[in-house]
Amino acid sequence: MYRHDFRLGTLEAGPLGTIGVPHQLRIVLECHEPLVNQGDEVAADQRIARSTRSGVGDMHSAYAGKIISVHDESITLETGGKEVSERIHPPDDDSALRDWLATMGMNTAHIYPSRLLIINNVPREPGHDTVFPLMNDQRKALENGLDIIKKVVRPAKTVLAAAKGTRVLAFADSTVHFVPARHPYGMAPMVLLSVTGEETVPGGRPSSACIVSLEDLYIVGRMAESGRPFTHTVCQMGNRTVMVPVGTPAEHLLAEGQTKASEGDRVVFGGLLTGTAVSRLEQGTDKNTSAVHVIPEGLFPPTRDASCVGCGECSRRCPSRIRPDLVSRASEFKLYERCEAYGVFSCIECGICGYFCPVRRPLLQYIRHAKHEINLQKGQCEILEAPA
């Protein structure tokens, strides 16, 4: 069996780039109410959906164009035209900054007052690194973003978390804390644990710190500089790091990367361990899409709906100390109360359990399915209240 290298490291990804304008945008809605109708003409940066839950940012169109369809789950826009919405710069009143961020499209549930602010500069996964071009080439935008976020958080101390063995230049009035350069130590809950000793359940707010990513700083910095909303994500495509408009179809990204996906291949939005395979190539990126991968058929053993053999390998590997085998079996049979009792919401979704499962059960998929169903039963949307 092929074994992946779990070491975290920086890539020689070059400067932050851009991609060509896609013909269409397919913008996924989560906890949003559409503000446009089929046939409407919209301007670039126009707000097209309003969040229906506190802390969830509104949705904007990266380009001018015509609305092709509107559904509860998505808006499809055909790009074209040059009209641009008016710029909205940060308010002078610091107490209004958080609302400004949400109006501009940021998920602000994880940005709140705290005495400790942690900036996560650790690569999320092996072979997945967007921090290098940001730290090296986008310093001014990062510092501007940090200034805005500090006005919301009002920290007494700021810590920059980095992977051991990497060289980083700390921000003013911040200290550096190194974490092991190995997956899953770059994930936010693990960084929080390393810096503060606190363990928190995803969906719950840490009591000791507010933690933001380097991408958060960059996006907020760009918004402050330009007065433009959050319409692009920082995304890794092969050895390139590029700005990708939210809603860009997978097929367009493959064309930009001069790559094709043959039958049997999988296209993944996000990291290879924690990402999600797209259901069709027309599927658009969302605000959390940080990478795009094509996994050729046969490179990794495919997951399959095999029965658990009870070997316990997943439990021994789990950093959250839960039993993925038990959770997955309960999820498989729709026993969601039992999933909660087994600590399904303690799972940080690092993907290690499924990777080491000898029969290739889709453990992470079962866990995510259980969380989804439980959230629906509670009337909640997919976006966590306060992701760590």
Side-chain angles (χ1 to χ4, degrees):
M1 179 183 293
Y2 178 83
R3 290 298 188 193
H4 200 77
D5 187 347
F6 282 86
R7 289 174 296 179
L8 301 175
T10 56
L11 302 175
E12 296 295 334
L16 187 62
T18 58
I19 62 172
V21 179
H23 175 63
Q24 286 189 345
L25 295 179
R26 296 178 184 272
I27 300 171
V28 177
L29 303 180
E30 292 178 290
C31 310
H32 292 98
E33 175 187 19
L35 298 174
V36 293
N37 297 303
Q38 183 176 348
D40 287 354
E41 300 282 348
V42 302
D45 301 327
Q46 180 176 330
R47 189 171 64 150
I48 59 174
R50 176 174 49 224
S51 66
T52 57
R53 187 176 181 187
S54 177
V56 178
D58 295 339
M59 297 298 297
H60 304 73
S61 173
Y63 298 108
K66 183 177 181 179
I67 302 297
I68 301 301
S69 64
V70 178
H71 302 286
D72 291 340
E73 300 82 14
S74 65
I75 294 175
T76 301
L77 177 143
E78 186 176 81
T79 59
K82 297 181 179 179
E83 188 177 358
V84 180
S85 295
E86 293 184 3
R87 301 185 181 206
I88 307 175
H89 290 285
D92 296 329
D93 182 0
D94 291 352
S95 64
L97 275 174
R98 198 162 183 267
D99 289 338
W100 174 79
L101 290 173
T103 301
M104 297 292 277
M106 285 290 293
N107 179 354
T108 57
H110 65 298
I111 304 174
Y112 47 82
S114 176
R115 291 185 57 79
L116 175 61
L117 173 63
I118 301 173
I119 303 166
N120 187 3
N121 182 48
V122 187
R124 300 183 188 188
E125 284 191 30
H128 181 187
D129 182 13
T130 57
V131 303
F132 181 84
L134 295 182
M135 283 297 266
N136 285 277
D137 303 325
Q138 307 295 331
R139 192 75 182 184
K140 185 62 178 176
L142 295 177
E143 292 173 347
N144 287 341
L146 180 57
D147 285 343
I148 296 288
I149 288 178
K150 273 188 170 181
K151 290 177 180 177
V152 177
V153 178
R154 301 191 297 277
K157 181 180 179 181
T158 301
V159 172
L160 178 66
K164 287 181 180 177
T166 59
R167 298 179 62 184
V168 293
L169 180 60
F171 295 102
D173 302 322
S174 70
T175 58
V176 178
H177 178 94
F178 289 102
V179 304
R182 185 175 178 83
H183 185 64
Y185 291 99
M187 300 186 71
M190 300 300 288
V191 170
L192 177 74
L193 175 64
S194 178
V195 176
T196 69
E198 180 184 359
E199 290 186 83
T200 185
V201 175
R205 174 178 291 184
S207 61
S208 59
C210 165
I211 181 167
V212 298
S213 67
L214 206 66
E215 290 86 350
D216 287 333
L217 297 191
Y218 178 66
I219 289 168
V220 172
R222 277 177 56 97
M223 292 196 303
E225 291 170 349
S226 66
R228 300 297 185 196
F230 178 10
T231 59
H232 290 64
T233 64
V234 182
C235 190
Q236 184 179 326
M237 293 174 51
N239 290 327
R240 300 169 59 201
T241 302
V242 296
M243 296 297 291
V244 169
V246 175
T248 301
E251 57 189 353
H252 181 81
L253 296 174
L254 297 185
E256 284 286 327
Q258 300 181 341
T259 302
K260 292 184 179 180
S262 303
E263 187 173 353
D265 296 347
R266 284 170 289 167
V267 179
V268 176
F269 283 168
L272 292 174
L273 283 162
T274 63
T276 304
V278 304
S279 57
R280 54 197 177 99
L281 293 181
E282 292 81 9
Q283 183 175 327
T285 57
D286 61 28
K287 290 183 178 179
N288 297 314
T289 303
S290 56
V292 181
H293 297 282
V294 178
I295 304 177
E297 184 179 20
L299 180 60
F300 293 101
T303 55
R304 56 195 177 97
D305 204 12
S307 299
C308 174
V309 296
C311 67
E313 188 72 14
C314 58
S315 302
R316 285 191 288 274
R317 304 280 184 174
C318 177
S320 300
R321 303 187 301 281
I322 65 172
R323 294 281 304 273
D325 53 341
L326 296 182
V327 176
S328 70
R329 276 186 271 182
S331 176
E332 183 177 8
F333 294 104
K334 305 184 188 307
L335 303 173
Y336 302 122
E337 289 185 1
R338 192 171 295 182
C339 290
E340 285 196 272
Y342 290 148
V344 65
F345 284 104
S346 292
C347 171
I348 63 173
E349 302 186 13
C350 64
I352 287 179
C353 56
Y355 181 82
F356 283 101
C357 175
V359 295
R360 304 296 297 166
R361 267 175 69 80
L363 296 173
L364 179 56
Q365 288 84 346
Y366 275 130
I367 289 171
R368 285 175 170 166
H369 174 73
K371 289 182 178 181
H372 173 76
E373 291 298 320
I374 294 169
N375 283 332
L376 288 181
Q377 290 176 3
K378 294 180 178 178
Q380 299 174 351
C381 62
E382 283 294 294
I383 297 177
L384 300 175
E385 187 70 38

